[in-house]
Amino acid sequence: MPEKHTATTHLIGLLLGTEDDWPTAFEEILRRLGPVDGPDGARHAFDTERITIEPFSLRDRPRYHLVIDRLAYWYYVPREWLKKVAMMDNVYLLNSPFTFQSMEKHAAYCAMMRLGLKVPETVLVPYKHPVDNARYAYTAARYNQPFDLDAIAERIGYPLFMKPYDGGAWRGVSRIRNPAELHAAYDASGEMLMHLQKAIDYDVFARSLSIGAETMVMRFQPDQPMHHRYAVDHSFLSPQVGEEVVTIGRLVNAFFRWEFNSCETLVTGDQVYPIDYANACPDVALTSLHYYFPWAMKALVKWCVFALVTGRPARLDLDTDRFFAVADEAGMSYQEKLNVYRDLADGYFDAARYHDFWAGQQARLDEVVLDWVAGPDFDQLLVRTVRSVYPAQEHDQFIAHLRGLMDLWVGEETTRLAKA
Ligand SMILES: Nc1ncnc2c1ncn2[C@@H]1O[C@H](COP(=O)(O)OP(=O)(O)OP(=O)(O)O)[C@@H](O)[C@H]1O
Ligand SMILES: [Mg+2]
């Protein structure tokens, strides 16, 4: 066991696309936090590095102990590198490509329906255009059944949504009110494989962001521009509905072994309908999360630190049977199942040990983050980020807007820490 005065150093790799805001925040908070004492009594230090893309031997040993990935969903060199380090080197990944490449929206819908969640009625319809494959014409002529799109839509009922089975960022999503719109959208879908899904007429849209054992539920306004989508609102759900939204987000993540994911739910009265929860490594940009950005950065730091100091093993397999067994329990109510799912999920994320571990160090982290967010370095990051995201004529407006929201956070956080 390492001695107290010699820290074990863990190297965290970041796989990044165009973003510079959250990586800077993450690096800065870890640097300011410095070494921490692990539950083993040993001292642990953390370094971060932005990973570059280069040839790699499949037998190379990586230097990283943990990697946060925001790149591999579209860039296949790092994706294959991630698979290699997951398979060969036990590198801890947020998230493992093995757990999300095969789990697009469609698979995630199936799994959560199987667990009894209130996923709206959803039908997969075959491609509008022929698949680009020499064997298609023969196969389709022999095996494709003709189908009546109108009858399917009638059964689901209007309005409904047509959206790709593997969607993201509203690509190909349309709200459909009648047969004319149905056919127009289907004709336009081309080679995209589409779902038809019953539209939920909702009171509020609750979007949760989960990082490891922690979850933040935010009021989401999907029809607003990006900077207005997350509303700062602390009590928009009843406590019971709020718990259900948290449970659903954690359940999805524990089931798929996603460590960093967002989950969209539509709430009508006390009914919670999950509609989109395969968003591994979601957007955590300062310009979209604003007020919630410090929370997200803390949660990310806390989870990475916890995983590393406790030597949390990376898992490639899905242990679906444990969840399915609960789903199949006859005579158990929806709420009773949710309670068991929550225990399974919290167990998977080692929530009790996580909270115990951080209880002793949370105050220091809170101060580090407050001090940084209230200071000039953060303000420079804010200005730099706005300049890189918005056109010149909008800089002043968005800098003022974001400063206002961050001042609100600093004020509330100062009060909270003073009371603690
Ligand atoms: N069944 C539904 N009932 C009501 N609204 C829906 C439904 N499905 C989708 N929507 C609306 O359409 C939006 C986009 O749908 P969805 O989230 O499934 O697609 P996406 O491409 O993943 O979008 P994003 O990347 O913004 O999450 C949702 O944010 C919601 O406003
Ligand atoms: Mg969505």
Side-chain angles (χ1 to χ4, degrees):
M1 190 194 277
E3 297 196 16
K4 184 124 187 145
H5 52 274
T6 54
T8 307
T9 300
H10 305 273
L11 181 59
I12 300 176
L14 306 178
L15 263 177
L16 304 171
T18 53
E19 67 259 60
D20 198 50
D21 54 348
W22 78 261
T24 303
F26 181 80
E27 290 157 349
E28 189 62 21
I29 293 168
L30 260 184
R31 193 184 64 74
R32 290 179 178 227
L33 182 67
V36 304
D37 293 325
D40 54 357
R43 206 121 173 90
H44 296 260
F46 304 90
D47 275 341
T48 58
E49 206 174 274
R50 299 189 184 196
I51 301 175
T52 53
I53 315 297
E54 53 206 286
F56 60 90
S57 158
L58 277 59
R59 290 199 174 85
D60 282 351
R61 300 291 301 185
R63 292 179 299 115
Y64 309 98
H65 303 104
L66 182 152
V67 173
I68 305 174
D69 164 44
R70 284 261 312 151
L71 183 59
Y73 72 95
W74 64 267
Y75 196 176
Y76 293 177
V77 180
R79 181 188 288 186
E80 296 314 309
W81 180 80
L82 283 171
K83 289 185 197 162
K84 169 242 173 318
V85 301
M87 190 71 96
M88 295 192 64
D89 311 299
N90 291 322
V91 175
Y92 199 91
L93 302 177
L94 278 65
N95 296 284
S96 164
F98 288 111
T99 64
F100 76 81
Q101 264 184 266
S102 60
M103 298 296 172
E104 24 24 49
K105 239 180 209 150
H106 177 79
Y109 283 150
C110 298
M112 292 305 118
M113 282 183 190
R114 172 85 164 81
L115 297 190
L117 298 193
K118 295 165 186 163
V119 178
E121 186 56 23
T122 307
V123 174
L124 184 95
V125 289
Y127 298 103
K128 168 70 189 179
H129 286 173
V131 177
D132 181 18
N133 186 306
R135 288 163 292 198
Y136 180 79
Y138 174 85
T139 310
R142 183 146 185 207
Y143 296 112
N144 276 19
Q145 285 281 9
F147 64 94
D148 183 346
L149 190 64
D150 292 287
I152 296 170
E154 286 299 334
R155 264 200 309 279
I156 295 172
Y158 293 102
L160 54 86
F161 275 80
M162 185 181 293
K163 48 187 185 177
Y165 87 108
D166 62 345
W170 276 81
R171 174 177 54 85
V173 177
S174 47
R175 187 170 186 278
I176 305 222
R177 290 167 300 183
N178 53 50
E181 289 180 353
L182 175 72
H183 286 280
Y186 186 58
D187 290 346
S189 68
E191 279 150 33
M192 277 187 287
L193 187 55
M194 295 305 233
H195 280 143
L196 300 182
Q197 185 173 76
K198 177 152 194 61
I200 301 295
D201 186 16
Y202 60 90
D203 306 327
V204 278
F205 190 130
R207 184 170 177 136
S208 68
L209 174 60
S210 293
I211 302 173
E214 287 199 53
T215 305
M216 177 64 75
V217 180
M218 295 165 280
R219 185 156 73 83
F220 195 65
Q221 309 176 129
D223 35 8
Q224 295 283 317
M226 207 58 224
H227 66 282
H228 275 315
R229 287 202 193 153
Y230 290 101
V232 179
D233 189 338
H234 302 310
S235 52
F236 70 104
L237 296 176
S238 70
Q240 195 199 333
V241 169
E243 271 309 300
E244 184 170 337
V245 172
V246 170
T247 297
I248 291 172
R250 298 246 181 98
L251 167 62
V252 165
N253 288 5
F255 183 90
F256 291 111
R257 304 212 190 293
W258 290 332
E259 310 264 316
F260 180 16
N261 186 39
S262 70
C263 172
E264 300 180 358
T265 57
L266 304 178
V267 180
T268 309
D270 59 1
Q271 302 290 308
V272 181
Y273 301 92
I275 56 144
D276 180 19
Y277 39 87
N279 301 311
C281 287
D283 168 36
V284 284
L286 172 58
T287 44
S288 30
L289 284 191
H290 49 78
Y291 178 94
Y292 296 104
F293 184 74
W295 173 83
M297 292 301 106
K298 275 196 234 187
L300 200 54
V301 164
K302 287 170 69 179
W303 184 246
C304 293
V305 166
F306 175 74
L308 288 168
V309 302
T310 56
R312 184 175 161 83
R315 299 272 301 266
L316 292 178
D317 60 313
L318 296 187
D319 193 3
T320 53
D321 287 353
R322 292 204 309 152
F323 295 92
F324 290 158
V326 180
D328 295 344
E329 219 23 87
M332 220 181 185
S333 71
Y334 173 67
Q335 185 57 51
E336 285 165 343
K337 287 182 184 175
L338 278 188
N339 296 344
V340 182
Y341 291 147
R342 177 60 173 269
D343 287 345
L344 285 174
D346 285 347
Y348 172 67
F349 285 110
D350 213 354
R353 203 152 69 109
Y354 170 85
H355 291 296
D356 273 359
F357 168 72
W358 275 104
Q361 336 221 23
Q362 182 73 39
R364 191 163 68 86
L365 176 66
D366 285 340
E367 260 163 41
V368 161
V369 175
L370 178 57
D371 189 56
W372 177 60
V373 176
D377 290 357
F378 180 84
D379 191 62
Q380 276 170 21
L381 175 66
L382 182 155
V383 170
R384 218 168 54 233
T385 303
V386 168
R387 288 193 179 138
S388 71
V389 171
Y390 294 101
Q393 67 276 15
E394 293 176 4
H395 289 175
D396 290 348
Q397 174 203 340
F398 281 107
I399 289 169
H401 175 75
L402 266 184
R403 277 184 180 151
L405 286 158
M406 300 320 294
D407 284 350
L408 175 68
W409 182 82
V410 167
E412 288 184 13
E413 183 69 354
T414 306
T415 312
R416 188 180 74 86
L417 296 191
K419 277 198 204 136

